Amino acid sequence: MKLIWRAGEEEMNFKWFGPIALLAALVIGDQIRINRPAHKYRLTVEVETPEGRKAASGVMAVHPDRSYTRRGQTRTLGDAVFVDLGNGKNLVALLAHIDKTVVLDDINYVALRAYTVAQGKRVSFNEMSRLTGIVPVKDALIPVLVSFADPASPGTAQQVAPEDAAAVLGKGYRLQGLTAEVVPNGYWPLDFGGALGEPVTRGIQAKLPWLTGADNSAATALRAAGLPGVDGIDAREAFTRK
């Protein structure tokens, strides 16, 4: 009787294995659907310097709201792009724009709008991940540019005008341009690089160490750069989005 009971118990356990495995697969699949980015793009910043051209880039991931909240909030994950120009100079492309005040949401649509301008026709959000080629990021699409006299001190930030970088950086410095390039989405959450897909670029906190502090140093930096409307935003999101 004892052996029969054990056999029945194992049969009962096996019967539940299938539904549980199916439920787990559905939950995992739904999380991938919700959290996988709609598209990723590489934002590159190039600067002409007296020593030649310097450039840096960062990969951003753009996530639409696929959850069940129906809030429709698109968000971007990534870091501001820090260009080391040598001789103690730098240029940082923030995750922010200016429209009377600081705007944090426009970074979500930089690549979409840049490809729309380059192609001369409307590009839908859903087709972005299938696009190829490098396109210029110009005019109002250019994020806020700042430079730090001392990257360790947020109060040394100055805003840099795209058309007159020399006014802050000095003679011989000129913004060559910004570009956007759609890169493979990869297989979230395994997009660690290579065939698995381009990972989101991190590293701004190593360049601007005060970002790791508990105080509001990010707001100090934006105010020092003379940006309007700093009090109404999470200033840290101008530098990094998790």
CSV table of all heavy atoms in Angstrom, one decimal, residues 63-104:
chain,number,residue,atom,x,y,z
A,63,HIS,N,11.7,52.6,-24.4
A,63,HIS,CA,10.7,51.6,-23.9
A,63,HIS,C,9.3,52.3,-23.9
A,63,HIS,O,9.1,53.2,-23.2
A,63,HIS,CB,11.0,51.2,-22.5
A,63,HIS,CG,12.2,50.4,-22.4
A,63,HIS,ND1,12.2,49.0,-22.2
A,63,HIS,CD2,13.6,50.7,-22.5
A,63,HIS,CE1,13.5,48.6,-22.1
A,63,HIS,NE2,14.3,49.6,-22.3
A,64,PRO,N,8.4,51.8,-24.7
A,64,PRO,CA,7.0,52.3,-24.6
A,64,PRO,C,6.3,51.6,-23.4
A,64,PRO,O,6.8,50.7,-22.9
A,64,PRO,CB,6.4,51.8,-25.9
A,64,PRO,CG,7.1,50.6,-26.3
A,64,PRO,CD,8.5,50.8,-25.8
A,65,ASP,N,5.2,52.2,-23.0
A,65,ASP,CA,4.5,51.6,-21.9
A,65,ASP,C,3.6,50.5,-22.4
A,65,ASP,O,2.6,50.7,-23.1
A,65,ASP,CB,3.6,52.7,-21.2
A,65,ASP,CG,2.8,52.1,-20.0
A,65,ASP,OD1,3.1,51.0,-19.6
A,65,ASP,OD2,2.0,52.8,-19.5
A,66,ARG,N,4.1,49.2,-22.2
A,66,ARG,CA,3.3,48.1,-22.6
A,66,ARG,C,2.6,47.4,-21.4
A,66,ARG,O,2.0,46.3,-21.5
A,66,ARG,CB,4.2,47.0,-23.3
A,66,ARG,CG,4.9,47.5,-24.5
A,66,ARG,CD,5.5,46.3,-25.2
A,66,ARG,NE,6.4,46.7,-26.3
A,66,ARG,CZ,7.7,46.8,-26.3
A,66,ARG,NH1,8.3,46.6,-25.1
A,66,ARG,NH2,8.4,47.1,-27.3
A,67,SER,N,2.6,48.1,-20.2
A,67,SER,CA,2.1,47.5,-19.0
A,67,SER,C,0.6,47.6,-19.1
A,67,SER,O,0.0,48.1,-20.0
A,67,SER,CB,2.6,48.2,-17.8
A,67,SER,OG,2.2,49.5,-17.7
A,68,TYR,N,-0.1,47.3,-18.0
A,68,TYR,CA,-1.5,47.3,-17.9
A,68,TYR,C,-2.0,48.5,-17.2
A,68,TYR,O,-3.2,48.7,-16.9
A,68,TYR,CB,-2.0,46.0,-17.1
A,68,TYR,CG,-1.5,44.8,-17.8
A,68,TYR,CD1,-0.5,44.0,-17.3
A,68,TYR,CD2,-2.1,44.3,-19.0
A,68,TYR,CE1,0.0,42.9,-17.9
A,68,TYR,CE2,-1.7,43.2,-19.6
A,68,TYR,CZ,-0.6,42.4,-19.0
A,68,TYR,OH,-0.2,41.3,-19.7
A,69,THR,N,-1.1,49.5,-17.0
A,69,THR,CA,-1.5,50.8,-16.3
A,69,THR,C,-2.2,51.7,-17.3
A,69,THR,O,-3.0,52.6,-16.9
A,69,THR,CB,-0.3,51.5,-15.7
A,69,THR,OG1,0.6,51.8,-16.8
A,69,THR,CG2,0.4,50.6,-14.7
A,70,ARG,N,-1.9,51.5,-18.6
A,70,ARG,CA,-2.5,52.4,-19.7
A,70,ARG,C,-2.1,53.9,-19.5
A,70,ARG,O,-2.9,54.7,-19.9
A,70,ARG,CB,-4.1,52.3,-19.7
A,70,ARG,CG,-4.6,50.8,-19.9
A,70,ARG,CD,-4.1,50.2,-21.2
A,70,ARG,NE,-4.7,48.9,-21.4
A,70,ARG,CZ,-4.4,48.1,-22.4
A,70,ARG,NH1,-3.5,48.5,-23.3
A,70,ARG,NH2,-4.9,46.9,-22.5
A,71,ARG,N,-1.0,54.1,-18.9
A,71,ARG,CA,-0.6,55.5,-18.8
A,71,ARG,C,0.1,56.1,-20.0
A,71,ARG,O,0.2,57.3,-20.2
A,71,ARG,CB,0.4,55.6,-17.6
A,71,ARG,CG,-0.2,55.3,-16.2
A,71,ARG,CD,0.8,55.3,-15.1
A,71,ARG,NE,0.2,55.0,-13.8
A,71,ARG,CZ,0.9,54.7,-12.8
A,71,ARG,NH1,2.2,54.8,-12.8
A,71,ARG,NH2,0.3,54.4,-11.6
A,72,GLY,N,0.6,55.2,-20.9
A,72,GLY,CA,1.1,55.6,-22.1
A,72,GLY,C,2.4,56.4,-22.0
A,72,GLY,O,2.8,57.3,-22.8
A,73,GLN,N,3.3,56.0,-21.0
A,73,GLN,CA,4.5,56.8,-20.7
A,73,GLN,C,5.7,56.1,-21.4
A,73,GLN,O,6.1,55.0,-21.0
A,73,GLN,CB,4.7,56.9,-19.2
A,73,GLN,CG,3.7,57.8,-18.6
A,73,GLN,CD,3.9,57.8,-17.1
A,73,GLN,OE1,4.4,56.9,-16.4
A,73,GLN,NE2,3.5,59.0,-16.4
A,74,THR,N,6.3,56.7,-22.4
A,74,THR,CA,7.5,56.2,-23.0
A,74,THR,C,8.7,56.6,-22.2
A,74,THR,O,8.7,57.7,-21.6
A,74,THR,CB,7.6,56.7,-24.4
A,74,THR,OG1,6.5,56.2,-25.2
A,74,THR,CG2,8.9,56.2,-25.1
A,75,ARG,N,9.7,55.8,-22.0
A,75,ARG,CA,10.9,56.1,-21.2
A,75,ARG,C,12.1,55.7,-21.9
A,75,ARG,O,12.1,54.7,-22.8
A,75,ARG,CB,10.8,55.5,-19.8
A,75,ARG,CG,10.8,54.0,-19.8
A,75,ARG,CD,10.4,53.5,-18.5
A,75,ARG,NE,10.3,52.0,-18.5
A,75,ARG,CZ,11.2,51.2,-18.1
A,75,ARG,NH1,12.4,51.7,-17.6
A,75,ARG,NH2,11.1,49.9,-18.1
A,76,THR,N,13.2,56.3,-21.6
A,76,THR,CA,14.5,56.0,-22.2
A,76,THR,C,15.5,55.6,-21.1
A,76,THR,O,15.5,56.2,-20.0
A,76,THR,CB,15.1,57.2,-23.0
A,76,THR,OG1,14.4,57.4,-24.1
A,76,THR,CG2,16.6,56.9,-23.4
A,77,LEU,N,16.2,54.5,-21.3
A,77,LEU,CA,17.3,54.1,-20.4
A,77,LEU,C,18.6,54.4,-21.1
A,77,LEU,O,18.8,54.2,-22.2
A,77,LEU,CB,17.2,52.6,-20.1
A,77,LEU,CG,15.8,52.0,-19.6
A,77,LEU,CD1,16.0,50.5,-19.3
A,77,LEU,CD2,15.4,52.8,-18.4
A,78,GLY,N,19.5,54.9,-20.3
A,78,GLY,CA,20.8,55.2,-20.8
A,78,GLY,C,21.5,56.4,-20.0
A,78,GLY,O,20.9,56.8,-19.0
A,79,ASP,N,22.7,56.8,-20.4
A,79,ASP,CA,23.4,57.8,-19.8
A,79,ASP,C,23.7,59.0,-20.8
A,79,ASP,O,23.8,58.7,-22.0
A,79,ASP,CB,24.8,57.3,-19.3
A,79,ASP,CG,24.7,56.5,-18.0
A,79,ASP,OD1,23.5,56.4,-17.5
A,79,ASP,OD2,25.7,56.0,-17.5
A,80,ALA,N,23.9,60.1,-20.2
A,80,ALA,CA,24.4,61.2,-21.0
A,80,ALA,C,25.7,60.9,-21.7
A,80,ALA,O,26.5,60.0,-21.1
A,80,ALA,CB,24.5,62.5,-20.1
A,81,VAL,N,26.0,61.5,-22.8
A,81,VAL,CA,27.3,61.2,-23.5
A,81,VAL,C,28.4,62.1,-23.2
A,81,VAL,O,28.2,63.4,-23.4
A,81,VAL,CB,27.0,61.2,-25.1
A,81,VAL,CG1,28.3,60.9,-25.8
A,81,VAL,CG2,25.9,60.2,-25.5
A,82,PHE,N,29.4,61.6,-22.6
A,82,PHE,CA,30.6,62.5,-22.1
A,82,PHE,C,31.7,62.3,-23.1
A,82,PHE,O,32.2,61.2,-23.4
A,82,PHE,CB,31.0,62.0,-20.7
A,82,PHE,CG,32.1,62.8,-20.1
A,82,PHE,CD1,31.7,63.7,-19.1
A,82,PHE,CD2,33.4,62.7,-20.5
A,82,PHE,CE1,32.7,64.5,-18.4
A,82,PHE,CE2,34.4,63.5,-19.9
A,82,PHE,CZ,34.0,64.4,-18.8
A,83,VAL,N,32.1,63.5,-23.7
A,83,VAL,CA,33.2,63.5,-24.7
A,83,VAL,C,34.4,64.1,-24.0
A,83,VAL,O,34.4,65.3,-23.6
A,83,VAL,CB,32.9,64.3,-25.9
A,83,VAL,CG1,34.0,64.1,-27.0
A,83,VAL,CG2,31.5,63.9,-26.5
A,84,ASP,N,35.5,63.3,-23.8
A,84,ASP,CA,36.7,63.8,-23.3
A,84,ASP,C,37.5,64.5,-24.4
A,84,ASP,O,38.0,63.8,-25.3
A,84,ASP,CB,37.5,62.7,-22.7
A,84,ASP,CG,38.8,63.1,-21.9
A,84,ASP,OD1,39.2,64.3,-22.1
A,84,ASP,OD2,39.3,62.3,-21.2
A,85,LEU,N,37.7,65.8,-24.3
A,85,LEU,CA,38.3,66.6,-25.4
A,85,LEU,C,39.8,66.7,-25.2
A,85,LEU,O,40.5,67.3,-26.0
A,85,LEU,CB,37.7,67.9,-25.5
A,85,LEU,CG,36.1,67.9,-25.8
A,85,LEU,CD1,35.6,69.3,-25.8
A,85,LEU,CD2,35.8,67.2,-27.1
A,86,GLY,N,40.3,66.2,-24.1
A,86,GLY,CA,41.7,66.4,-23.7
A,86,GLY,C,42.0,67.8,-23.1
A,86,GLY,O,41.1,68.7,-23.2
A,87,ASN,N,43.2,68.0,-22.6
A,87,ASN,CA,43.6,69.2,-22.0
A,87,ASN,C,42.6,69.7,-20.9
A,87,ASN,O,42.4,70.9,-20.8
A,87,ASN,CB,43.7,70.3,-23.1
A,87,ASN,CG,44.8,70.0,-24.1
A,87,ASN,OD1,45.9,69.5,-23.7
A,87,ASN,ND2,44.5,70.1,-25.3
A,88,GLY,N,41.9,68.8,-20.2
A,88,GLY,CA,41.0,69.1,-19.2
A,88,GLY,C,39.7,69.6,-19.6
A,88,GLY,O,38.9,70.1,-18.8
A,89,LYS,N,39.4,69.5,-20.9
A,89,LYS,CA,38.1,70.0,-21.5
A,89,LYS,C,37.2,68.8,-21.8
A,89,LYS,O,37.6,67.7,-22.0
A,89,LYS,CB,38.3,70.8,-22.7
A,89,LYS,CG,39.1,72.1,-22.5
A,89,LYS,CD,39.3,72.9,-23.8
A,89,LYS,CE,40.2,74.1,-23.5
A,89,LYS,NZ,39.5,75.1,-22.7
A,90,ASN,N,35.9,69.1,-21.8
A,90,ASN,CA,34.9,68.0,-22.0
A,90,ASN,C,33.6,68.6,-22.6
A,90,ASN,O,33.4,69.9,-22.5
A,90,ASN,CB,34.6,67.3,-20.7
A,90,ASN,CG,34.1,68.2,-19.6
A,90,ASN,OD1,33.0,68.6,-19.6
A,90,ASN,ND2,35.1,68.5,-18.7
A,91,LEU,N,32.8,67.8,-23.1
A,91,LEU,CA,31.5,68.2,-23.6
A,91,LEU,C,30.5,67.1,-23.3
A,91,LEU,O,30.8,65.9,-23.5
A,91,LEU,CB,31.5,68.5,-25.1
A,91,LEU,CG,30.2,69.0,-25.7
A,91,LEU,CD1,29.9,70.4,-25.2
A,91,LEU,CD2,30.2,68.9,-27.2
A,92,VAL,N,29.4,67.4,-22.7
A,92,VAL,CA,28.4,66.4,-22.3
A,92,VAL,C,27.1,66.7,-23.0
A,92,VAL,O,26.5,67.8,-22.9
A,92,VAL,CB,28.2,66.4,-20.8
A,92,VAL,CG1,27.3,65.3,-20.3
A,92,VAL,CG2,29.6,66.3,-20.0
A,93,ALA,N,26.6,65.7,-23.7
A,93,ALA,CA,25.2,65.8,-24.3
A,93,ALA,C,24.2,65.2,-23.3
A,93,ALA,O,24.2,64.0,-23.0
A,93,ALA,CB,25.1,65.0,-25.6
A,94,LEU,N,23.4,66.0,-22.7
A,94,LEU,CA,22.5,65.6,-21.6
A,94,LEU,C,21.3,64.8,-22.2
A,94,LEU,O,21.0,64.9,-23.4
A,94,LEU,CB,22.0,66.8,-20.8
A,94,LEU,CG,23.1,67.6,-20.1
A,94,LEU,CD1,22.4,68.7,-19.3
A,94,LEU,CD2,23.9,66.7,-19.1
A,95,LEU,N,20.6,64.2,-21.3
A,95,LEU,CA,19.3,63.5,-21.7
A,95,LEU,C,18.2,64.5,-21.5
A,95,LEU,O,17.2,64.2,-20.9
A,95,LEU,CB,19.1,62.3,-20.9
A,95,LEU,CG,20.2,61.2,-20.8
A,95,LEU,CD1,19.9,60.1,-19.9
A,95,LEU,CD2,20.6,60.8,-22.2
A,96,ALA,N,18.3,65.7,-22.1
A,96,ALA,CA,17.4,66.8,-21.9
A,96,ALA,C,17.4,67.8,-23.0
A,96,ALA,O,18.4,67.9,-23.7
A,96,ALA,CB,17.7,67.5,-20.6
A,97,HIS,N,16.3,68.5,-23.2
A,97,HIS,CA,16.2,69.5,-24.2
A,97,HIS,C,15.6,70.8,-23.5
A,97,HIS,O,15.2,70.7,-22.3
A,97,HIS,CB,15.3,69.1,-25.3
A,97,HIS,CG,15.9,68.0,-26.2
A,97,HIS,ND1,15.9,66.7,-25.8
A,97,HIS,CD2,16.4,68.1,-27.5
A,97,HIS,CE1,16.5,66.0,-26.8
A,97,HIS,NE2,16.8,66.8,-27.8
A,98,ILE,N,15.6,71.9,-24.2
A,98,ILE,CA,15.0,73.1,-23.7
A,98,ILE,C,13.8,73.5,-24.5
A,98,ILE,O,14.0,73.6,-25.7
A,98,ILE,CB,16.1,74.2,-23.6
A,98,ILE,CG1,17.2,73.9,-22.7
A,98,ILE,CG2,15.4,75.5,-23.1
A,98,ILE,CD1,16.8,73.8,-21.2
A,99,ASP,N,12.7,73.7,-23.9
A,99,ASP,CA,11.5,74.4,-24.5
A,99,ASP,C,10.9,75.3,-23.5
A,99,ASP,O,10.0,74.9,-22.8
A,99,ASP,CB,10.6,73.3,-25.0
A,99,ASP,CG,9.4,73.9,-25.7
A,99,ASP,OD1,9.4,75.1,-26.0
A,99,ASP,OD2,8.4,73.2,-26.0
A,100,LYS,N,11.5,76.4,-23.3
A,100,LYS,CA,11.2,77.4,-22.2
A,100,LYS,C,11.7,76.9,-20.9
A,100,LYS,O,12.3,77.6,-20.1
A,100,LYS,CB,9.7,77.7,-22.2
A,100,LYS,CG,9.1,78.3,-23.4
A,100,LYS,CD,7.6,78.6,-23.2
A,100,LYS,CE,7.1,79.3,-24.5
A,100,LYS,NZ,5.6,79.6,-24.4
A,101,THR,N,11.5,75.6,-20.6
A,101,THR,CA,12.1,75.0,-19.4
A,101,THR,C,12.8,73.7,-19.8
A,101,THR,O,12.7,73.3,-21.0
A,101,THR,CB,11.0,74.7,-18.3
A,101,THR,OG1,10.1,73.7,-18.9
A,101,THR,CG2,10.3,75.9,-17.9
A,102,VAL,N,13.4,73.0,-18.9
A,102,VAL,CA,14.1,71.7,-19.2
A,102,VAL,C,13.0,70.7,-19.5
A,102,VAL,O,12.1,70.5,-18.7
A,102,VAL,CB,15.0,71.3,-18.0
A,102,VAL,CG1,15.6,69.9,-18.3
A,102,VAL,CG2,16.0,72.3,-17.7
A,103,VAL,N,13.2,70.0,-20.6
A,103,VAL,CA,12.3,68.9,-21.0
A,103,VAL,C,13.0,67.6,-21.0
A,103,VAL,O,14.1,67.4,-21.7
A,103,VAL,CB,11.7,69.2,-22.4
A,103,VAL,CG1,10.8,68.0,-22.8
A,103,VAL,CG2,11.0,70.5,-22.4
A,104,LEU,N,12.5,66.6,-20.2
A,104,LEU,CA,13.2,65.3,-20.1
A,104,LEU,C,12.6,64.3,-21.1
A,104,LEU,O,13.3,63.3,-21.3
A,104,LEU,CB,13.1,64.8,-18.7
A,104,LEU,CG,13.8,65.7,-17.6
A,104,LEU,CD1,13.5,65.1,-16.2
A,104,LEU,CD2,15.3,65.8,-17.9
